[in-house]
Amino acid sequence: MSLSGKGKAASAALAVALLTGACGGSAASDDDAPYDPDAPVTLTVGLFGTFGFQEAGLYDEYMDLHPNVTIKETSVEKSADYYRALQTRLAAGSGLEDVQGIEIGFVSDIVQNHADAFADFGQAENADEVRETFYDWKYEQAMTEDGRVVGLGTDAGPQAMCFRRDLFEAAGLPTDREELGELWSDWEGYLDVGRRYQDSPTKPAGSAFVDSPASVFSAAVYQGELAYNDEDGNPAPESSDGVENAWEHASEAAAEDLTAGLSQFGDEWNSAFANGAFATIACPAWMLGYITSQVGEDGAGKWDIAPLPGQGGNWGGSWLGVPESSDDKEAAMALVEWLTAPEQQIKMFTREAHFPSSSEAAEDPEVADATSEYFSGAPIGQIFGESAENIRRTPIGRYDTQIQEAFTTALTNVATQGVSPDEAFEDAMASVEQVTGG
């Protein structure tokens, strides 16, 4: 598929506007010589994991469009290691790259405690136009209460439910993704299907319905009005409707042996994708690439995708920010705006399977009408697009990653060590208090 003529024109115009706004916007340094967009410049980009810009050819494309620009990327494998180093450099006020990746697990800390260290994309001349290209919840997560925008969104992680068609068929369960979506329109319906799977005399021996109670908890918790924080962003999991609902269903799954009891992202979990140890897993869009890499070509046609129980949810996603200390702030902002523009987000989806955080990109036919042959022809653009449309903007906080880990660890203890759900919840809350200080 290709961009429509209207889409092409709009994207091209936006790209020009983005660059114009960044070059002439009020975010320009006022203590240096005027910004010369044609002057030779080397821009350094500090990231974690694999953002995919280099792999998608976007750096080369940008440097072809701007022969005076050289882009150099460095990446740290684990986001936690990356963020510790970033915090140290923010405190020192030196050592920062021209562009820094910001992950959803620490965007709240950046917004609350380090916003002044980052250039304000909200002050660009075309800021309103840029904002309209993003999902509201994505743009606003990188915004301070007084409107400072510390970064622009790259990808998003709208969620669905990936399932093994072959295992479902062996267990005598439906394999039609729409029928399953109706059966598990809520989490109780999902657990009912899980009980049918576990009770099936014909299901493959040794397989469980879902990989981990974390699949249920981490997906369901963000479907509440609140997740881990109160409306002011302060940790308050004990009074969260999202935690209450997610814990109820995840602990049921764990206590009833519906899960394989695996710790996500561990070696055993990785191997389980290929050996058929579980039949379902909550999957953000980026998980499709992960599953494909773990299972390989032998998995083609075995997996499928249905809507997530409950409503849409988000797992993951990042932003790009520009430190105020950058010697080439204007050029770095222009690069960020180009990399996150709808036209580039469409390329990141078609080339690297990163779902757009730009609603305009998600509505483009190249994304909205996309299907995946590997996942049994599933309409991935439609399924993940609908999930993205239904994501709630629950308040996020600086301890969300640690709080979630406390709950999922406690749930794993229910599944693997026979700890009662009530005792496990108390353990989780004790861990949360240690992390948050009370």
Side-chain angles (χ1 to χ4, degrees):
M1 283 175 257
S2 62
L3 279 169
S4 66
K6 181 180 177 182
K8 285 179 178 176
S11 297
L14 178 57
V16 171
L18 291 171
L19 294 173
T20 302
C23 296
S26 58
S29 299
D30 55 12
D31 55 351
D32 296 321
Y35 170 53
D36 178 2
D38 297 321
V41 62
T42 297
L43 297 176
T44 59
V45 181
L47 304 175
F48 49 87
T50 304
F51 272 59
F53 299 129
Q54 192 160 280
E55 293 78 1
L58 294 190
Y59 291 154
D60 288 340
E61 186 176 340
Y62 191 81
M63 289 187 285
D64 286 342
L65 292 170
H66 306 84
N68 59 310
V69 176
T70 300
I71 301 171
K72 294 184 177 180
E73 177 189 299
T74 58
S75 182
V76 176
E77 182 178 358
K78 295 182 178 179
S79 63
D81 295 337
Y82 166 87
Y83 193 50
R84 276 192 290 272
L86 180 60
Q87 287 176 304
T88 299
R89 292 167 184 170
L90 285 169
S94 63
L96 296 163
E97 310 293 356
D98 296 308
V99 176
Q100 295 280 178
I102 302 172
E103 202 254 347
I104 192 168
F106 48 81
V107 68
S108 177
D109 187 33
I110 294 288
V111 167
Q112 293 180 25
N113 301 309
H114 305 288
D116 290 344
F118 285 85
D120 183 5
F121 285 93
Q123 290 300 309
E125 289 181 355
N126 61 339
D128 290 342
E129 185 179 355
V130 171
R131 178 173 184 167
E132 290 178 358
T133 68
F134 287 93
Y135 288 108
D136 287 343
W137 53 266
K138 182 71 178 188
Y139 191 85
E140 292 169 0
Q141 283 178 328
M143 180 190 293
T144 64
E145 289 185 357
D146 61 359
R148 190 180 185 91
V149 181
V150 302
L152 296 180
T154 56
D155 61 326
Q159 295 201 74
M161 186 61 71
C162 291
F163 68 97
R164 284 279 299 263
R165 291 178 63 88
D166 56 335
L167 301 190
F168 269 48
E169 194 170 76
L173 293 177
T175 57
D176 181 85
R177 63 180 76 93
E178 292 184 4
E179 182 178 355
L180 288 170
E182 292 176 359
L183 285 173
W184 61 46
S185 60
D186 56 27
W187 287 103
E188 196 54 45
Y190 173 77
L191 295 184
D192 284 342
V193 175
R195 294 177 183 112
R196 290 170 59 185
Y197 184 87
Q198 291 301 88
D199 291 342
S200 170
T202 58
K203 76 176 179 66
S207 69
F209 180 60
V210 59
D211 66 314
S212 163
S215 258
V216 178
F217 185 86
S218 301
V221 71
Y222 286 106
Q223 293 177 344
E225 294 291 337
L226 299 172
Y228 302 122
N229 308 286
D230 62 21
E231 294 181 350
D232 295 324
N234 301 310
E238 71 281 359
S239 58
S240 158
D241 62 330
V243 167
E244 181 180 5
N245 180 62
W247 182 268
E248 176 186 348
H249 294 109
S251 61
E252 279 185 33
E256 295 180 27
D257 292 329
L258 302 183
T259 86
L262 298 167
S263 295
Q264 295 188 326
F265 300 101
D267 291 340
E268 190 178 359
W269 184 73
N270 286 334
S271 300
F273 280 99
N275 63 28
F278 56 85
T280 66
I281 181 172
C283 55
W286 51 262
M287 183 73 81
L288 305 191
Y290 198 92
I291 292 174
T292 304
S293 67
Q294 293 299 325
V295 183
E297 286 304 314
D298 289 345
K302 293 181 179 177
W303 286 87
D304 205 330
I305 307 169
L308 188 72
Q311 60 180 36
N314 184 72
W315 180 6
S318 299
W319 293 258
L320 295 176
V322 175
E324 285 283 357
S325 60
S326 169
D327 291 334
D328 300 295
K329 186 172 70 174
E330 293 79 10
M333 292 180 73
L335 172 62
V336 168
E337 291 176 343
W338 187 86
L339 287 171
T340 58
E343 191 173 38
Q344 277 58 255
Q345 294 213 27
I346 293 169
K347 296 171 188 172
M348 288 298 297
F349 178 77
T350 58
R351 299 174 187 175
E352 297 295 320
H354 292 191
F355 196 83
S357 62
S358 159
S359 55
E360 182 176 317
E363 292 168 359
D364 186 275
E366 286 200 73
V367 178
D369 297 341
T371 60
S372 170
E373 289 307 311
Y374 188 95
F375 288 87
S376 306
I380 55 175
Q382 175 190 336
I383 291 174
F384 289 113
E386 290 177 354
S387 180
E389 288 287 348
N390 290 316
I391 290 173
R392 281 181 169 166
R393 193 203 164 191
T394 53
I396 57 177
R398 62 184 301 187
Y399 300 113
D400 286 10
T401 299
Q402 296 95 323
I403 295 173
Q404 180 158 300
E405 185 177 354
F407 281 112
T408 55
T409 298
L411 285 164
T412 299
N413 291 338
V414 175
T416 63
Q417 299 179 25
V419 177
S420 74
D422 287 345
E423 183 180 352
F425 189 82
E426 292 177 2
D427 292 342
M429 290 304 302
S431 297
V432 169
E433 289 179 7
Q434 285 185 334
V435 170
T436 62

